[in-house]
Every structure is written in C-alpha cells, then in structure tokens.
C-alpha cells in the first residue's frame, strides 16, 4: 500500500502546469508521438515508445479537462466521436484481434484516450491480460521508418472520416 499519486498531481488536476497542456498541439511531432489527426476537440498521436505497433493517444486539446465530466456535452460527444474515428483507422490499418480504449489519467490527469491494438497469443506481450506499462515506455522504441510510414497511412485513413 505504499503507492502514491505523482508529485503535483492535485495541481495538475486543476490545470496548473499540466504536462499534457504543455505540448505544442500544432506540432506534427511532439517527441513521444507523431500527429496523425488534428480534430475539432482533440489530436491523435501515434505513440513512439514501446513495442506496441499502432498504439494511439487521443488528447483533448480544447482546454484543460482532467475528467470527461468537465467537458460540455458537445465537447464530450466530439471527443468520443474523434476517438472512435481514430480507433476505426487503427482497425483498418493493423487488423488487431481487439482494441482497448483506456481513459485513465492516473499519471497525467488530462483527458486522453489510449487506443491499444491487441493481437493474438504469438504477437501480444500479454494476450488476454492487461498490458504491462513496461512494454510501452522508454528505453524501448519502435523503428522510426516504420513509425513514419504508419503515420502517413493513418493520416490518409483519418482524412477519409
């Protein structure tokens, strides 16, 4: 029971020095991810770290909101719609067995969905189980040329939405 909330978590919840709000949402590459779609209320990024190909993060960009309940009904509907559109593009490109949608915010309390393509027993690091965060973080990195090619394909698919 020694777990603790991250330092400054309550301040970040309130939008003070929020690490997610500090991203340049106009940039096409924000270090941890490549922009694949700029939506009306969110941006979708292809995750660069880890070994899960096709992992997307959809970030609410209109303003700081730690919880979906802090959004207007219209913002929440648009956020979910844009997340589903990103999920459909991941399905079309990668053909996963299952997609996981996670809206947690336990580390960074800013509304963002993780869209995680899950694969069969031979290709998934935790088939049928929750994905361990160790497979998502540095120092593991995806092949940059494959990542860039995937980003181009996802942009094309999301442009059709």
């Amino acid at each position: 029971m020694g777990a603790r909330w991250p330092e400054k978590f309550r301040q970040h919840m309130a939008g003070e020095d929020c690490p997610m709000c500090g991203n340049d949402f106009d940039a096409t590459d924000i270090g941890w991810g490549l922009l694949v779609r700029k939506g009306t209320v969110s941006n979708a990024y292809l995750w660069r770290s880890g070994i899960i190909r096709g992992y997307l993060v959809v970030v609410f960009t209109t303003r700081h909101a730690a919880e979906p309940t802090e959004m207007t009904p219209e913002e929440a509907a648009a956020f979910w719609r844009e997340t589903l559109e990103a999920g459909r593009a991941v399905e079309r490109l990668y053909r996963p067995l299952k997609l996981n949608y996670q809206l947690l915010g336990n580390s960074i309390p800013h509304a963002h969905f993780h869209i995680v393509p899950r694969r069969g027993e031979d290709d998934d690091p935790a088939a049928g189980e929750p994905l361990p965060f160790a497979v998502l973080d540095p120092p593991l990195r995806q092949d940059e040329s494959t990542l860039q090619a995937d980003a181009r394909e996802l942009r094309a698919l999301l442009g059709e939405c």
Side-chain angles (χ1 to χ4, degrees):
M1 296 297 291
R4 299 179 120 6
W5 291 105
E7 186 178 348
K8 298 185 179 182
F9 186 79
R10 285 177 174 76
Q11 292 92 331
H12 294 164
M13 283 282 295
E16 298 171 24
D17 298 320
C18 170
M20 193 67 80
C21 290
N23 286 300
D24 178 359
F25 292 127
D26 291 322
T28 57
D29 185 337
I30 58 174
W32 57 264
L34 298 175
L35 180 68
V36 294
R37 183 176 196 204
K38 189 168 180 60
T40 59
V41 300
S42 68
N43 285 357
Y45 297 94
L46 185 59
W47 188 268
R48 180 175 265 126
S49 296
I51 60 171
I52 306 300
R53 188 173 173 206
Y55 191 113
L56 248 59
V57 178
V58 180
V59 181
F60 185 70
T61 56
T62 303
R63 59 186 163 73
H64 179 78
E67 305 290 351
T69 54
E70 297 171 13
M71 299 174 194
T72 67
E74 295 79 17
E75 289 172 332
F79 185 42
W80 183 236
R81 183 181 61 253
E82 291 175 6
T83 298
L84 291 176
E85 290 167 353
R88 287 184 187 103
V90 168
E91 285 177 333
R92 287 183 61 196
L93 181 57
Y94 301 102
R95 305 280 187 225
L97 178 64
K98 169 81 176 87
L99 277 186
N100 291 163
Y101 292 84
Q102 300 173 330
L103 179 71
L104 303 172
N106 295 326
S107 296
I108 300 176
H110 182 108
H112 62 287
F113 273 103
H114 294 252
I115 302 174
V116 187
R118 303 302 301 269
R119 295 177 171 81
E121 290 81 4
D122 295 336
D123 299 328
D124 194 294
E129 301 281 330
L131 197 62
F133 283 107
V135 302
L136 301 175
D137 291 325
L140 303 171
R141 296 291 248 194
Q142 295 184 43
D143 175 72
E144 189 67 24
S145 61
T146 301
L147 188 78
Q148 294 286 344
D150 286 356
R152 284 190 297 275
E153 289 190 57
L154 285 167
R155 286 182 194 116
L157 289 168
L158 287 163
E160 297 172 7
C161 294

